């Protein structure tokens, strides 16, 4: 499941001056493996100047689009992979791609009559695009309101496609663009997406009580501000789904450090068993040493990872025995943590024996 597969690039399409979308050719024998749900992401891997670089990018296409598996990659200053993708990748190149992952979605049903509201900033539009297209298609009686923040018109990713969708789903889809570095007629839409803006939108443009699901994607600060505002306005936090792209310097963790037992300050030497694809490997690991993911990689196990920063969830596995200390978590939902799932890139053993199973989903 968590293996990389080599996929050929079908198209590299410029979306803005510093963003390309990349579509992959999925061979027939891998079609099932690369089936995806709206809002999921792919982890890409490439050797760049001798470095094994892995990054996760959300899928922007919708699962109902025939033979379309596409991610968008925005160039970030100093970003190794994003610069490579924007400047060097071409049609016909091959990339190592991990099957789709992620839980940034809710179950759709043609009978639903829901109101979805999404807040996206910059490249945070990518998974929202996939969710929006799929909701509109599968749920003919649902509505979608999108607030999309950018600096200027020229940096709006999928500007035309969004406008086409708005025209196509007239009456069911509402789109508001916010620009932080270009004046618009209404002051309401000048500036960044923030808690304060969200407050005003709740007063003027939608009633939070009338919304069934919220989807937020963008920088940590925006997500924290907007979700706090929504929760203060009485929205059940189960209805607020969010996805971060980069490891935040600060921001709201989905759950705090968990599964710490006994004296967390006490240093112990553990025996850690890691299970992946039915294979097992056991090694000693100090509680104050490297994290379990790195330790397993050093033992030669091809355990999955991308960000190593508690964001992408690629390194998710289940603790089936023992206890660990998970330092940060921006990706797992409280229910998953409750069920024993952890981000192995953030985990250190705190019991004498720990068993980590990557095969349990
Ligand atoms: S590798 Fe991304 S959360 Fe651990």
């Amino acid at each position: 499941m968590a293996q990389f597969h080599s996929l050929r690039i079908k198209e590299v399409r410029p979306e803005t001056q510093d963003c390309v979308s990349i579509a992959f050719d999925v061979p027939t024998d891998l079609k099932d493996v690369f089936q995806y749900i709206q809002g999921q992401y792919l982890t890409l891997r490439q050797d760049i100047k001798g470095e094994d670089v892995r990054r996760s990018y959300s899928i922007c296409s919708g699962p109902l689009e025939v033979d379309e598996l596409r991610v968008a990659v925005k160039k970030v200053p100093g970003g190794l992979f994003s610069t490579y993708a924007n400047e060097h990748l071409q049609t016909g190149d091959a990339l190592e791609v991990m099957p789709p992952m992620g839980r940034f979605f809710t179950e759709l049903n043609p009978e639903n009559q829901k109101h979805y509201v999404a807040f996206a900033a910059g490249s945070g539009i990518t998974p929202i695009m996939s969710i929006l297209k799929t909701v509109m298609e599968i749920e003919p009686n649902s509505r979608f309101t999108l607030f999309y923040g950018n600096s200027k018109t020229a940096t709006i990713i999928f500007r035309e496609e969004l406008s086409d969708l708005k025209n196509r789903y007239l009456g069911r889809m509402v789109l508001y663009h916010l620009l932080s570095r270009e004046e618009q007629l209404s002051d309401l839409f000048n500036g960044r997406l923030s808690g304060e803006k969200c407050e005003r939108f709740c007063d003027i443009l939608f009633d939070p009580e009338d919304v069934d699901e919220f989807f937020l994607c963008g920088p940590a600060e925006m997500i924290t501000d907007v979700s706090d505002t929504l929760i203060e306005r009485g929205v059940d936090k189960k209805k607020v789904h969010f996805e971060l792209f980069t490891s935040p310097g600060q921001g709201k963790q989905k759950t705090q450090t968990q599964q710490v037992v006994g004296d967390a300050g006490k240093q112990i030497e553990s025996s850690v068993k890691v299970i992946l694809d039915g294979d097992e490997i056991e090694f000693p690991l100090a509680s104050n040493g490297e994290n379990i993911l790195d330790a397993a990689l050093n033992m030669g196990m091809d355990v999955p990872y991308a960000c190593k920063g508690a964001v992408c969830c690629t390194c998710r596995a289940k603790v089936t025995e023992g206890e660990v200390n998970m330092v940060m978590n921006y990706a797992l939902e409280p229910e998953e943590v409750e069920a024993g799932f952890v981000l192995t890139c953030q985990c250190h053993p705190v019991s004498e024996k720990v068993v980590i199973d990557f095969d349990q989903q």
Side-chain angles (χ1 to χ4, degrees):
M1 173 64 197
Q3 272 176 355
F4 282 99
H5 299 270
S6 179
L7 295 186
R8 290 247 160 248
I9 294 176
K10 189 159 70 174
E11 187 189 26
V12 179
R13 187 166 74 200
E15 298 291 347
T16 64
Q17 231 177 14
D18 59 1
C19 177
V20 289
S21 67
I22 302 165
F24 295 98
D25 243 334
V26 181
T28 316
D29 59 326
L30 289 178
K31 290 264 191 253
D32 284 351
V33 176
F34 280 93
Q35 283 268 6
Y36 61 94
I37 302 170
Q38 69 284 352
Q40 287 195 303
Y41 63 86
L42 297 178
T43 299
L44 312 181
R45 174 190 192 179
Q46 176 74 347
D47 190 295
I48 302 173
K49 297 181 191 151
E51 201 181 315
D52 176 17
V53 184
R54 302 169 179 218
R55 295 287 184 273
S56 299
Y57 293 101
S58 288
I59 299 169
C60 55
S61 50
L64 300 179
E65 293 174 64
V66 181
D67 283 338
E68 184 75 342
L69 176 64
R70 185 182 288 270
V71 294
V73 181
K74 185 174 179 184
K75 189 153 104 181
V76 291
L80 208 52
F81 194 97
S82 65
T83 305
Y84 175 82
N86 273 268
E87 295 178 2
H88 300 288
L89 278 183
Q90 292 180 346
T91 305
D93 288 351
L95 273 182
E96 295 289 299
V97 185
M98 213 182 268
M101 288 182 165
R103 285 164 189 78
F104 188 49
F105 59 81
T106 54
E107 294 271 319
L108 300 184
N109 183 332
E111 305 296 315
N112 281 348
Q113 299 186 15
K114 286 187 170 181
H115 183 196
Y116 297 85
V117 172
F119 291 82
S123 56
I125 190 65
T126 319
I128 303 288
M129 194 70 188
S130 179
I131 294 167
L132 164 64
K133 286 190 276 195
T134 314
V135 164
M136 290 285 99
E137 186 113 9
I138 292 188
E139 299 188 351
N141 299 312
S142 289
R143 295 180 292 134
F144 206 107
T145 302
L146 170 60
F147 296 93
Y148 184 16
N150 281 282
S151 58
K152 324 178 253 205
T153 308
T155 63
I156 300 175
I157 306 168
F158 308 129
R159 184 157 64 97
E160 265 179 45
E161 197 177 348
L162 283 168
S163 162
D164 290 348
L165 284 168
K166 200 178 101 173
N167 292 334
R168 179 163 165 204
Y169 296 113
L170 222 56
R172 289 210 289 135
M173 176 185 159
V174 184
L175 169 64
Y176 299 107
H177 285 291
L178 277 87
L179 298 176
S180 59
R181 286 206 247 143
E182 198 179 293
E183 255 337 80
Q184 301 194 86
L185 284 178
S186 166
D187 190 44
L188 188 60
F189 302 111
N190 289 327
R192 289 165 183 269
L193 273 176
S194 62
E196 202 189 319
K197 286 279 180 213
C198 175
E199 189 80 53
R200 292 191 67 197
F201 298 152
C202 288
D203 289 337
I204 303 169
L205 299 174
F206 69 87
D207 177 357
E209 281 183 16
D210 164 51
V211 178
D212 299 278
E213 314 280 353
F214 290 92
F215 287 95
L216 321 181
C217 189
E221 201 188 337
M222 181 280 265
I223 287 178
T224 307
D225 281 5
V226 172
S227 66
D228 284 352
T229 304
L230 292 171
I231 290 161
E232 273 162 30
R233 298 281 301 225
V235 174
D236 181 347
K237 66 176 171 206
K238 285 205 180 106
K239 293 181 174 180
V240 183
H241 314 276
F242 61 87
E243 180 96 328
L244 285 168
F245 269 1
T246 49
S247 199
Q250 53 180 45
K252 185 191 236 166
Q253 293 195 32
K254 281 202 174 174
T255 54
Q256 297 301 317
T257 302
Q258 53 83 57
Q259 289 199 324
V260 186
V261 288
D263 179 0
K266 194 174 130 210
Q267 308 307 339
I268 56 159
E269 180 89 2
S270 291
S271 169
V272 176
K273 185 194 276 184
V274 174
I275 303 166
L276 175 72
D277 295 334
D279 290 336
E280 294 180 6
I281 200 164
E282 200 159 345
F283 49 85
L285 185 62
S287 57
N288 61 341
E290 59 193 344
N291 63 61
I292 291 175
L293 179 90
D294 280 339
L297 287 167
N298 287 336
M299 292 302 295
M301 268 195 133
D302 199 12
V303 281
Y305 72 91
C307 73
K308 287 196 180 178
V311 170
C312 73
C313 213
T314 312
C315 66
R316 176 183 187 263
K318 190 169 186 180
V319 178
T320 55
E321 195 181 326
E323 311 274 352
V324 299
N325 173 24
M326 181 160 63
V327 180
M328 289 193 297
N329 168 29
Y330 299 100
L332 295 170
E333 297 294 341
E335 307 83 73
E336 295 177 281
V337 175
E338 192 79 0
F341 288 99
V342 292
L343 302 172
T344 52
C345 72
Q346 299 298 318
C347 283
H348 299 269
V350 289
S351 59
E352 275 172 19
K353 172 135 202 214
V354 170
V355 179
I356 301 276
D357 192 344
F358 280 87
D359 295 344
Q360 294 215 28
Q361 291 304 312

